[in-house]
Amino acid sequence: MNRTSSLATSSLRAGLLAALLLTGGLALAAEPAAAPAPAPAAALAPLAGPTAIRSANILTLQDASAEPGYAEQSNAQRAQVQPGNNAPVWRQVGQGVSGTVNMPYAEYGTLIQPTVQYPGTRVASAGEAWRQLRNQVLLPYGAALLLIVALALGLFYFTKGPLGQEHPPGQGQAIERFTPFERAAHWSNAAAFLTLALSGLVMAFGQFFLLPVLGSTLFGWLAYALKNLHNFVGPLYAVSLLVMIATFVKDNIANRADFQWLLRAGGMLGQGQVPSHRFNAGEKGIFWWAVTIPGLLLVASGLVLDKLVPGLDYFRADMQLAHMVHAALALLSCALIAGHIYMGTVGTRGAYRAMRTGYVEPGWAREHHELWYQDIQSGKIPARRSQSAPAKPRVPISVNPVSRSNP
């Protein structure tokens, strides 16, 4: 039985071969006797310009290696006439051409990283998985987050309006909410963060919005300038962040009043604002989850990306991980800080004046931070901290009661 099957298989193969030869012979017989001479390879695939890409009959096309200068083409020149042909690169690899290697010594022999799978990516080499995570997860979802925050803040403003009541200056003895040093620490850190945020957002999303408008040349110069600005402002942000944390950490420790503030969602559930100390639970949340924790991780990952951490080998996997952490935390911080900027400017009446001048009216303190105002009245906290504290308790500041309900 096996011998019969083998003979049948051999007969089938011989029949197929005979059919192919017969078909080829008929096709050659049908062609004109005098076939045109094959066109020069240089005419079919010249070396210059994308328009040089042409299709041709493979039976009449000469070997492209016969073209003058073919062997000296760079990879970019070869791609213009033969897209996807990376022969120049691999020719240099085979010839042992020396180049610049920016990888640690342990990775000299590793051209392609091992396969990994990050959240939201397919199983691929580490470099390709990092590219997928950046382009398919971080950028689209980060842009959606920022857009949702912007729409939510706009909706809140047009439905609720600014919180609190107007408290014009001169209604009582002004209370110093922020000392000159505290305001300097805040504004220096804010300026550094905004510079980093704007430059980072342009580098991340500018190719989608600015590149079509500015063109490749102008956008290239802009991105190059912002990249260098980003790198130089980064250390300034790191120093100002440490000063910011040391300055405000003592007043951002959670207490019992913060839980009451959270249960009533800062006053959105019920009537009026919830009594709080100098900073309410929302402001403390911004301090910890938008400034301190993400800020320290942003600085750490930025130092890795700038190769400023001594003793680190800077493997590609380390750089990719640092970039993913840096980009994710930067987008999260931008979203949270956007809410903080809104509440500190147009979202709360008198809040921006407090950070600009350092002083608030007694009515404002009572309305927004009643427990802090009571501590000032009782003498636990001096009304003006930048001056020397008085030896005896201060006389309680009298102020006409104001309604804590939102207008």
mmCIF file of all heavy atoms in Angstrom, residues 39-74:
data_model
loop_
_atom_site.group_PDB
_atom_site.id
_atom_site.type_symbol
_atom_site.label_atom_id
_atom_site.label_comp_id
_atom_site.label_asym_id
_atom_site.label_seq_id
_atom_site.Cartn_x
_atom_site.Cartn_y
_atom_site.Cartn_z
ATOM 1 N N ALA A 39 15.036 47.880 -20.770
ATOM 2 C CA ALA A 39 15.347 49.275 -20.477
ATOM 3 C C ALA A 39 16.467 49.357 -19.471
ATOM 4 O O ALA A 39 16.625 48.492 -18.623
ATOM 5 C CB ALA A 39 14.112 49.980 -19.924
ATOM 6 N N PRO A 40 17.269 50.407 -19.555
ATOM 7 C CA PRO A 40 18.360 50.573 -18.570
ATOM 8 C C PRO A 40 17.792 50.677 -17.165
ATOM 9 O O PRO A 40 16.739 51.266 -16.945
ATOM 10 C CB PRO A 40 19.042 51.871 -18.995
ATOM 11 C CG PRO A 40 18.601 52.092 -20.407
ATOM 12 C CD PRO A 40 17.283 51.456 -20.561
ATOM 13 N N ALA A 41 18.502 50.103 -16.221
ATOM 14 C CA ALA A 41 18.028 50.145 -14.834
ATOM 15 C C ALA A 41 17.966 51.557 -14.324
ATOM 16 O O ALA A 41 17.108 51.913 -13.533
ATOM 17 C CB ALA A 41 18.961 49.299 -13.955
ATOM 18 N N ALA A 42 18.899 52.423 -14.801
ATOM 19 C CA ALA A 42 18.899 53.799 -14.308
ATOM 20 C C ALA A 42 17.653 54.533 -14.748
ATOM 21 O O ALA A 42 17.176 55.426 -14.061
ATOM 22 C CB ALA A 42 20.138 54.528 -14.813
ATOM 23 N N ALA A 43 17.073 54.161 -15.935
ATOM 24 C CA ALA A 43 15.870 54.838 -16.405
ATOM 25 C C ALA A 43 14.663 54.381 -15.627
ATOM 26 O O ALA A 43 13.692 55.126 -15.460
ATOM 27 C CB ALA A 43 15.675 54.569 -17.900
ATOM 28 N N LEU A 44 14.676 53.106 -15.168
ATOM 29 C CA LEU A 44 13.517 52.589 -14.443
ATOM 30 C C LEU A 44 13.539 52.989 -12.979
ATOM 31 O O LEU A 44 12.499 53.169 -12.367
ATOM 32 C CB LEU A 44 13.496 51.052 -14.544
ATOM 33 C CG LEU A 44 13.223 50.484 -15.948
ATOM 34 C CD1 LEU A 44 13.343 48.971 -15.923
ATOM 35 C CD2 LEU A 44 11.845 50.910 -16.426
ATOM 36 N N ALA A 45 14.674 53.122 -12.416
ATOM 37 C CA ALA A 45 14.748 53.437 -10.978
ATOM 38 C C ALA A 45 15.876 54.404 -10.731
ATOM 39 O O ALA A 45 16.923 54.049 -10.221
ATOM 40 C CB ALA A 45 14.966 52.155 -10.175
ATOM 41 N N PRO A 46 15.707 55.668 -11.128
ATOM 42 C CA PRO A 46 16.752 56.664 -10.855
ATOM 43 C C PRO A 46 16.922 56.872 -9.361
ATOM 44 O O PRO A 46 16.071 56.499 -8.572
ATOM 45 C CB PRO A 46 16.214 57.924 -11.554
ATOM 46 C CG PRO A 46 14.754 57.687 -11.690
ATOM 47 C CD PRO A 46 14.558 56.221 -11.839
ATOM 48 N N LEU A 47 18.011 57.527 -9.039
ATOM 49 C CA LEU A 47 18.371 57.651 -7.632
ATOM 50 C C LEU A 47 17.696 58.805 -6.931
ATOM 51 O O LEU A 47 17.798 58.910 -5.723
ATOM 52 C CB LEU A 47 19.900 57.816 -7.513
ATOM 53 C CG LEU A 47 20.728 56.638 -8.052
ATOM 54 C CD1 LEU A 47 22.198 56.929 -7.862
ATOM 55 C CD2 LEU A 47 20.337 55.350 -7.352
ATOM 56 N N ALA A 48 17.049 59.716 -7.624
ATOM 57 C CA ALA A 48 16.595 60.942 -6.970
ATOM 58 C C ALA A 48 15.074 61.001 -6.954
ATOM 59 O O ALA A 48 14.424 60.697 -7.948
ATOM 60 C CB ALA A 48 17.132 62.161 -7.708
ATOM 61 N N GLY A 49 14.530 61.402 -5.805
ATOM 62 C CA GLY A 49 13.133 61.798 -5.702
ATOM 63 C C GLY A 49 12.179 60.642 -5.486
ATOM 64 O O GLY A 49 12.379 59.536 -5.974
ATOM 65 N N PRO A 50 11.090 60.869 -4.727
ATOM 66 C CA PRO A 50 10.098 59.831 -4.480
ATOM 67 C C PRO A 50 9.402 59.397 -5.754
ATOM 68 O O PRO A 50 8.906 58.294 -5.861
ATOM 69 C CB PRO A 50 9.127 60.504 -3.505
ATOM 70 C CG PRO A 50 9.840 61.707 -2.987
ATOM 71 C CD PRO A 50 10.814 62.086 -4.019
ATOM 72 N N THR A 51 9.308 60.293 -6.782
ATOM 73 C CA THR A 51 8.636 59.931 -8.022
ATOM 74 C C THR A 51 9.410 58.891 -8.804
ATOM 75 O O THR A 51 8.917 58.377 -9.804
ATOM 76 C CB THR A 51 8.440 61.185 -8.893
ATOM 77 O OG1 THR A 51 9.711 61.767 -9.141
ATOM 78 C CG2 THR A 51 7.546 62.192 -8.197
ATOM 79 N N ALA A 52 10.630 58.547 -8.380
ATOM 80 C CA ALA A 52 11.410 57.550 -9.092
ATOM 81 C C ALA A 52 10.914 56.141 -8.838
ATOM 82 O O ALA A 52 11.325 55.206 -9.506
ATOM 83 C CB ALA A 52 12.879 57.653 -8.690
ATOM 84 N N ILE A 53 10.027 55.939 -7.886
ATOM 85 C CA ILE A 53 9.512 54.609 -7.585
ATOM 86 C C ILE A 53 8.576 54.189 -8.718
ATOM 87 O O ILE A 53 7.550 54.814 -8.962
ATOM 88 C CB ILE A 53 8.757 54.601 -6.245
ATOM 89 C CG1 ILE A 53 9.689 55.069 -5.117
ATOM 90 C CG2 ILE A 53 8.216 53.228 -5.937
ATOM 91 C CD1 ILE A 53 8.997 55.238 -3.807
ATOM 92 N N ARG A 54 8.958 53.130 -9.441
ATOM 93 C CA ARG A 54 8.163 52.667 -10.571
ATOM 94 C C ARG A 54 8.038 51.154 -10.515
ATOM 95 O O ARG A 54 8.892 50.450 -9.990
ATOM 96 C CB ARG A 54 8.828 53.082 -11.885
ATOM 97 C CG ARG A 54 8.940 54.580 -12.098
ATOM 98 C CD ARG A 54 9.657 54.900 -13.381
ATOM 99 N NE ARG A 54 8.986 54.269 -14.523
ATOM 100 C CZ ARG A 54 9.470 54.337 -15.764
ATOM 101 N NH1 ARG A 54 10.600 54.969 -16.009
ATOM 102 N NH2 ARG A 54 8.822 53.746 -16.754
ATOM 103 N N SER A 55 6.941 50.652 -11.101
ATOM 104 C CA SER A 55 6.769 49.216 -11.225
ATOM 105 C C SER A 55 7.303 48.777 -12.591
ATOM 106 O O SER A 55 7.298 49.549 -13.548
ATOM 107 C CB SER A 55 5.296 48.852 -11.086
ATOM 108 O OG SER A 55 4.541 49.466 -12.119
ATOM 109 N N ALA A 56 7.746 47.540 -12.678
ATOM 110 C CA ALA A 56 8.297 47.035 -13.934
ATOM 111 C C ALA A 56 8.165 45.525 -13.965
ATOM 112 O O ALA A 56 7.975 44.880 -12.925
ATOM 113 C CB ALA A 56 9.751 47.456 -14.105
ATOM 114 N N ASN A 57 8.241 44.975 -15.162
ATOM 115 C CA ASN A 57 8.211 43.536 -15.334
ATOM 116 C C ASN A 57 9.503 42.944 -14.813
ATOM 117 O O ASN A 57 10.594 43.315 -15.261
ATOM 118 C CB ASN A 57 8.047 43.207 -16.817
ATOM 119 C CG ASN A 57 7.780 41.725 -17.034
ATOM 120 O OD1 ASN A 57 8.076 40.896 -16.191
ATOM 121 N ND2 ASN A 57 7.215 41.412 -18.198
ATOM 122 N N ILE A 58 9.388 42.043 -13.897
ATOM 123 C CA ILE A 58 10.598 41.506 -13.264
ATOM 124 C C ILE A 58 11.453 40.742 -14.257
ATOM 125 O O ILE A 58 12.660 40.566 -14.083
ATOM 126 C CB ILE A 58 10.202 40.606 -12.072
ATOM 127 C CG1 ILE A 58 11.445 40.287 -11.232
ATOM 128 C CG2 ILE A 58 9.537 39.329 -12.547
ATOM 129 C CD1 ILE A 58 11.129 39.596 -9.935
ATOM 130 N N LEU A 59 10.821 40.265 -15.365
ATOM 131 C CA LEU A 59 11.587 39.530 -16.368
ATOM 132 C C LEU A 59 12.446 40.447 -17.229
ATOM 133 O O LEU A 59 13.396 40.005 -17.877
ATOM 134 C CB LEU A 59 10.634 38.709 -17.253
ATOM 135 C CG LEU A 59 9.822 37.638 -16.521
ATOM 136 C CD1 LEU A 59 8.862 36.951 -17.475
ATOM 137 C CD2 LEU A 59 10.753 36.613 -15.873
ATOM 138 N N THR A 60 12.076 41.731 -17.282
ATOM 139 C CA THR A 60 12.823 42.670 -18.126
ATOM 140 C C THR A 60 13.636 43.671 -17.318
ATOM 141 O O THR A 60 14.300 44.528 -17.906
ATOM 142 C CB THR A 60 11.861 43.448 -19.028
ATOM 143 O OG1 THR A 60 10.966 44.206 -18.210
ATOM 144 C CG2 THR A 60 11.068 42.504 -19.914
ATOM 145 N N LEU A 61 13.577 43.605 -15.989
ATOM 146 C CA LEU A 61 14.272 44.582 -15.142
ATOM 147 C C LEU A 61 15.679 44.102 -14.851
ATOM 148 O O LEU A 61 15.889 42.967 -14.427
ATOM 149 C CB LEU A 61 13.511 44.779 -13.825
ATOM 150 C CG LEU A 61 14.059 45.847 -12.884
ATOM 151 C CD1 LEU A 61 13.958 47.221 -13.547
ATOM 152 C CD2 LEU A 61 13.305 45.837 -11.571
ATOM 153 N N GLN A 62 16.633 44.955 -15.106
ATOM 154 C CA GLN A 62 18.025 44.604 -14.821
ATOM 155 C C GLN A 62 18.308 44.722 -13.342
ATOM 156 O O GLN A 62 17.568 45.355 -12.584
ATOM 157 C CB GLN A 62 18.967 45.516 -15.605
ATOM 158 C CG GLN A 62 18.949 45.287 -17.107
ATOM 159 C CD GLN A 62 19.973 46.152 -17.804
ATOM 160 O OE1 GLN A 62 20.545 47.046 -17.203
ATOM 161 N NE2 GLN A 62 20.200 45.873 -19.086
ATOM 162 N N ASP A 63 19.385 44.146 -12.931
ATOM 163 C CA ASP A 63 19.815 44.199 -11.542
ATOM 164 C C ASP A 63 20.125 45.641 -11.163
ATOM 165 O O ASP A 63 20.905 46.321 -11.831
ATOM 166 C CB ASP A 63 21.057 43.321 -11.360
ATOM 167 C CG ASP A 63 21.454 43.214 -9.900
ATOM 168 O OD1 ASP A 63 20.748 43.788 -9.059
ATOM 169 O OD2 ASP A 63 22.463 42.554 -9.620
ATOM 170 N N ALA A 64 19.507 46.114 -10.058
ATOM 171 C CA ALA A 64 19.714 47.508 -9.646
ATOM 172 C C ALA A 64 21.140 47.773 -9.217
ATOM 173 O O ALA A 64 21.585 48.917 -9.199
ATOM 174 C CB ALA A 64 18.748 47.870 -8.511
ATOM 175 N N SER A 65 21.856 46.735 -8.873
ATOM 176 C CA SER A 65 23.235 46.944 -8.426
ATOM 177 C C SER A 65 24.128 47.431 -9.554
ATOM 178 O O SER A 65 25.252 47.877 -9.313
ATOM 179 C CB SER A 65 23.797 45.637 -7.856
ATOM 180 O OG SER A 65 23.810 44.628 -8.856
ATOM 181 N N ALA A 66 23.620 47.373 -10.808
ATOM 182 C CA ALA A 66 24.408 47.875 -11.935
ATOM 183 C C ALA A 66 24.345 49.388 -12.056
ATOM 184 O O ALA A 66 25.101 49.979 -12.835
ATOM 185 C CB ALA A 66 23.910 47.240 -13.242
ATOM 186 N N GLU A 67 23.477 50.045 -11.312
ATOM 187 C CA GLU A 67 23.357 51.496 -11.388
ATOM 188 C C GLU A 67 24.601 52.155 -10.809
ATOM 189 O O GLU A 67 25.156 51.690 -9.803
ATOM 190 C CB GLU A 67 22.130 51.976 -10.622
ATOM 191 C CG GLU A 67 20.818 51.474 -11.178
ATOM 192 C CD GLU A 67 19.654 51.936 -10.328
ATOM 193 O OE1 GLU A 67 19.903 52.691 -9.363
ATOM 194 O OE2 GLU A 67 18.516 51.553 -10.633
ATOM 195 N N PRO A 68 25.043 53.241 -11.399
ATOM 196 C CA PRO A 68 26.209 53.959 -10.840
ATOM 197 C C PRO A 68 25.905 54.482 -9.435
ATOM 198 O O PRO A 68 24.862 55.086 -9.190
ATOM 199 C CB PRO A 68 26.415 55.114 -11.823
ATOM 200 C CG PRO A 68 25.736 54.683 -13.082
ATOM 201 C CD PRO A 68 24.585 53.822 -12.665
ATOM 202 N N GLY A 69 26.800 54.245 -8.514
ATOM 203 C CA GLY A 69 26.639 54.742 -7.155
ATOM 204 C C GLY A 69 25.694 53.934 -6.291
ATOM 205 O O GLY A 69 25.374 54.336 -5.166
ATOM 206 N N TYR A 70 25.240 52.783 -6.791
ATOM 207 C CA TYR A 70 24.259 52.000 -6.027
ATOM 208 C C TYR A 70 24.844 51.529 -4.697
ATOM 209 O O TYR A 70 24.198 51.615 -3.663
ATOM 210 C CB TYR A 70 23.811 50.804 -6.866
ATOM 211 C CG TYR A 70 22.825 49.890 -6.175
ATOM 212 C CD1 TYR A 70 21.462 50.181 -6.190
ATOM 213 C CD2 TYR A 70 23.249 48.744 -5.512
ATOM 214 C CE1 TYR A 70 20.557 49.347 -5.559
ATOM 215 C CE2 TYR A 70 22.351 47.907 -4.879
ATOM 216 C CZ TYR A 70 21.009 48.208 -4.904
ATOM 217 O OH TYR A 70 20.113 47.381 -4.273
ATOM 218 N N ALA A 71 26.080 51.037 -4.750
ATOM 219 C CA ALA A 71 26.679 50.488 -3.533
ATOM 220 C C ALA A 71 26.998 51.557 -2.503
ATOM 221 O O ALA A 71 27.180 51.256 -1.319
ATOM 222 C CB ALA A 71 27.946 49.700 -3.885
ATOM 223 N N GLU A 72 27.089 52.832 -2.947
ATOM 224 C CA GLU A 72 27.418 53.913 -2.010
ATOM 225 C C GLU A 72 26.179 54.600 -1.444
ATOM 226 O O GLU A 72 26.281 55.574 -0.700
ATOM 227 C CB GLU A 72 28.300 54.962 -2.703
ATOM 228 C CG GLU A 72 29.734 54.515 -2.953
ATOM 229 C CD GLU A 72 29.822 53.524 -4.088
ATOM 230 O OE1 GLU A 72 28.939 53.595 -4.969
ATOM 231 O OE2 GLU A 72 30.753 52.690 -4.102
ATOM 232 N N GLN A 73 24.979 54.129 -1.818
ATOM 233 C CA GLN A 73 23.770 54.774 -1.325
ATOM 234 C C GLN A 73 23.640 54.621 0.193
ATOM 235 O O GLN A 73 23.987 53.575 0.752
ATOM 236 C CB GLN A 73 22.531 54.153 -1.980
ATOM 237 C CG GLN A 73 22.270 54.594 -3.400
ATOM 238 C CD GLN A 73 21.011 53.956 -3.943
ATOM 239 O OE1 GLN A 73 20.644 52.868 -3.549
ATOM 240 N NE2 GLN A 73 20.359 54.648 -4.845
ATOM 241 N N SER A 74 23.153 55.677 0.807
ATOM 242 C CA SER A 74 22.809 55.583 2.220
ATOM 243 C C SER A 74 21.446 54.913 2.363
ATOM 244 O O SER A 74 20.729 54.709 1.384
ATOM 245 C CB SER A 74 22.780 56.976 2.858
ATOM 246 O OG SER A 74 21.711 57.734 2.323
#
